[in-house]
Amino acid sequence: MTSDAHTGTGRPADALRGDDETSTAPKKKGGGAVGGVANWMDERTGGAKGIRYLMNKVFPDHWSFMLGEVAMYSLIILLITGTFLTFWYVPSMGETIYHGSYTPLQGQQMSEAYKSTVDISMDVRGGLLIRQIHHWAALLFLVAIMLHMFRVFFTGAFRKPREINWVIGVLLFMLAMVEGFAGYSLPDDLLSGTGIRAAQGFMLSIPVIGSYVAYFVFGGAFPGSEIIPRLFTVHVLLLPAIIMGLFAAHMILLIVHKHTQFPGPGRSDHNVVGFKLMPVYTAKAGGFFFIVFGITALISGLVTINPIWMYGPYEPTMVTAGAQPDWYMGFADGALRLSPGWWEFTLLGHTFSLNVMIGAILLIPVIFTALGVYPFLEAWITGDKREHHLLDRPRNAPTRTAIGMGFIAFYFVLFVASGNDIMAITLHLSINDITHVMQASIFILPPLVFWITKRLCMSLQRSDRDLVLHGKESGRLIRTAEGRFFEAHTPLSEHDRWRLVSYETHRPIAAPTEADSNGVGRRQIAKDKMRARLSHFYFNDRIEAITPAELAAAHHDGQAFESIESAEDGDRLEIDSDEFDHHMHGGAEELSSGHAYSHPQDQEPS
Amino acid sequence: MSSLAAQRRHPASIVLVLLLGLVITGGLYALLAPSSAGAAVGSSSDLKSGKSLFLANCATCHGVNADGRENNPSLVGVGAAAVDFQVSSGRMPLSNPSVQAARNSSNVQFTSTQIKQLAEYVASLGAGPAIPSSKYTSLGGNIAKGGELFRVNCAMCHNFAGSGGALTRGKYAPNLMDVSGKQMYEAMLTGPQSMPVFNDTNLSPQDKKDVIAYLKNVKNEPSQGGHTLGNLGPVTEGMFAWTIGIGLLIGAAVWLGRKAA
């Protein structure tokens, strides 16, 4: 492609969108019976406009954009199966004797909640399958939320204008965790009873108000008869309502903001390249719902989850080895397991159980606050007030990616620590050694992972840079007339190159001066200094995006080349290849595959 | 009757009443007391073979007189049940001294006759729990009762399904799925290693039989929910969700993402 491509249709990459449907001609009315019904509805509800707007929404294609969809579909599965379970579940701690069909519990005293759960598992037709779908879908729901969150974080999709949607997402994640824990507690089997007992202990560990909180929640001493009915209301009414409300807000904001997209030819902050909801995404997303449901049902049919009939009914005197929460609460359990005992102390005749309180109570709000605040923090540091609809490739934001990975390392250590007893028996290790290694890792691993990730990102950026400037090694050795040898490099196609060069480089802001030019001391100097320090931390080490001039300089072999829109100033440089026919890159040659070699007179080192 | 009533003030009557009381108490005790405390005395040839087996295989650590050496326990008074448990499960002779002798069914060094001879020899050194009668180690206990007893007494270490659990510093409560009823009974009776003793006053022989029945049922009952993932609780479930579960879903997402419109 030559430079005259710019003049006619705009950017050269627009040619790649030549096949796009651009027809805006009004369509004839029709549609037969369906159209008639639709028209009838529209005349009474006025819904057609909105539905057309929705149906014409364009979504970009990438597998990672479907992680949120997995969460959404899991939520729908949870609502459907959960409704089924409420038909038989009895949220009561009233004592009863089991006389159902499961022999190993025959004649046992148990709560009605537990009995009804065993009945669902053993006597209700399809009950066990639905119970297992509900539980597996809950685990997968939270896995999908977390992975979706990773995608949004590492691609910078939380930037303006999506900060509020990020905060809503963080809230949804936290509520889903609490919702999951409430559901885990309902069967009143040995495992969930242990979980509720632990939760009561956590409440008691809160200084001063702990015992009041516990008595308030349990309606008296543990276990009382209130906690299961209360958790039931929270699980089936309160939290689902809040979650659905926030979920609706999440979706509305998604539609208002439009979906983000990865950088690529023809993609900008002002468009969305992809397919319309109708018919492509309706089919894809609809199909994907059934895939998610199908896979969840398959897993639930093949793999046991929470065999409550084996755990047996809960009594406060009992406990089982290997009592863990479901995975999403594991990090708090792990923090509890890693907390040293000397954090508990006595002051003025009162015991402060900070060894329990910090890991089990304090950590959760701290982590979620940090998550919620992050977009605002980053925006403050970069000072970037523009809207972003193009995603960052994770490598192009090395510090953010490294912070994210460091945080994941921190979370991962806590998460793994909650399985220290299972690791001890399956790997034949000492639980004490495992715990000590984890205690050290919680301090060592996050900075290490941060550093490694940042270096990896920058190496990848360098490698991208190298690829853009020098092309791919073709493996074809060329001997010039003078007898010199070099390897011909094949330049990237502009399609491939676009992805690699279209990003912005942030630079650290200068440290503020103590006083302005009139010698007047500045307010907020400490805040500005902090911002400058953070900016330095974020952007001091960086690999600059390739400028059009650099690209032009690299392509000195007489080939026609593209100018690239500079992210810095938007200038379009038209560069005459003849100006750059010297060697800048240590003798490495970039030749298109069509050329055996060119400019043999230039083979002298520069 | 009247003559007996007339004699009740006789000076000897107090002695007679005391004697009668003692005889009844002693008789009842002999009938009802745990019988396992008696040292089983085997035939002299069994004792002799047992002793030679002991000297050849056990004396290095436990001492020639079985009275222990340095860190190794004396076997006087441990009883036949302890010997039978340790040797028939392959724990003894100890092949790998570490924090805990591991069950090793491929390392059982002796035939059942030899184990019996060894047990009789050790039992002859001092009274201890005897090998339980097969009446209590065979199936047929109350599974539901056994389950409750297991959850109250055993699950905190061995896990709700007898899958085992971790103890401090590398010690552990082993998986119980491949343990024979006799060994379960002996373990409860003798409390090997970190395990507490559940003697007949803690758990009656019938209780022990119920616990055995429960564990055998856990092993044999069909898994209603599908694959059990080792019955280890939420950790393995979480691992499954994070690997195979989400892996399948992401695989489907990638496939759909690549699919042309």
Side-chain angles (χ1 to χ4, degrees), chain A residues 36-76:
Chain A
V37 172
N39 195 41
W40 187 90
M41 284 296 288
D42 181 41
E43 282 166 7
R44 280 148 190 85
T45 61
K49 204 177 163 195
I51 287 174
R52 165 168 301 195
Y53 173 75
L54 282 179
M55 282 180 172
N56 284 338
K57 287 304 276 189
V58 170
F59 288 93
D61 242 345
H62 193 270
W63 68 267
S64 69
F65 299 161
M66 297 167 92
L67 292 167
E69 268 181 72
V70 174
M72 178 167 80
Y73 299 146
S74 302
L75 180 60
I76 295 170

Side-chain angles (χ1 to χ4, degrees), chain B residues 62-170:
Chain B
H62 290 292
V64 179
N65 296 321
D67 50 1
R69 296 176 63 185
E70 288 183 46
N71 297 320
N72 306 311
S74 159
L75 298 186
V76 176
V78 299
V83 177
D84 187 60
F85 173 79
Q86 300 281 356
V87 179
S88 72
S89 66
R91 287 182 170 83
M92 293 288 158
L94 191 58
S95 56
N96 176 21
S98 61
V99 284
Q100 182 168 330
R103 176 183 176 78
N104 189 353
S105 47
S106 62
N107 188 39
V108 180
Q109 306 274 343
F110 306 102
T111 65
S112 55
T113 321
Q114 287 173 318
I115 294 171
K116 188 163 163 277
Q117 291 166 344
L118 207 49
E120 278 180 11
Y121 169 69
V122 172
S124 73
L125 300 172
I131 296 173
S133 125
S134 65
K135 181 184 159 200
Y136 292 119
T137 59
S138 55
L139 288 177
N142 181 338
I143 295 169
K145 175 115 186 299
E148 189 180 17
L149 287 167
F150 186 82
R151 285 188 288 277
V152 171
N153 295 292
C154 322
M156 70 283 284
C157 297
H158 286 286
N159 146 315
F160 66 97
S163 309
L167 304 175
T168 53
R169 301 190 194 286

Side-chain angles (χ1 to χ4, degrees), chain A residues 66 102 104 106 108 128 132 284 288 291 299 302-304 306 309 311 318-321 324-325 327 425 430-432, chain B residues 144 148 151 155-157 159-160 165-167 169-170 217 221 224-227 233-235 237 242 252-253 256 259:
Chain A
M66 297 167 92
Y102 185 61
Q106 206 58 250
Q108 292 280 296
L128 179 57
Q132 297 205 135
K284 274 200 176 192
F288 194 45
I291 291 177
I299 290 171
L302 296 177
V303 187
T304 315
N306 197 16
W309 58 92
Y311 280 103
M318 297 173 177
V319 69
T320 169
Q324 263 96 4
W327 77 263
I425 53 167
S430 155
I431 194 169
N432 303 55
Chain B
E148 189 180 17
R151 285 188 288 277
M156 70 283 284
C157 297
N159 146 315
F160 66 97
L167 304 175
R169 301 190 194 286
N217 179 68
E221 78 174 320
Q224 284 90 343
H227 193 278
V235 171
E237 292 161 4
W242 265 102
L256 261 184
K259 206 89 178 132

Side-chain angles (χ1 to χ4, degrees), chain A residues 556-578:
Chain A
H556 48 72
D557 57 348
Q559 294 298 298
F561 50 84
E562 281 304 307
S563 69
I564 292 286
E565 197 173 339
S566 165
E568 292 301 310
D569 50 18
D571 282 350
R572 287 185 179 185
L573 298 177
E574 302 268 332
I575 298 152
D576 184 349
S577 59
D578 291 332

Side-chain angles (χ1 to χ4, degrees), chain A residues 59 66 216 223 287 402 406 429 524 552:
Chain A
F59 288 93
M66 297 167 92
F216 178 72
L429 294 169
Q524 295 190 323

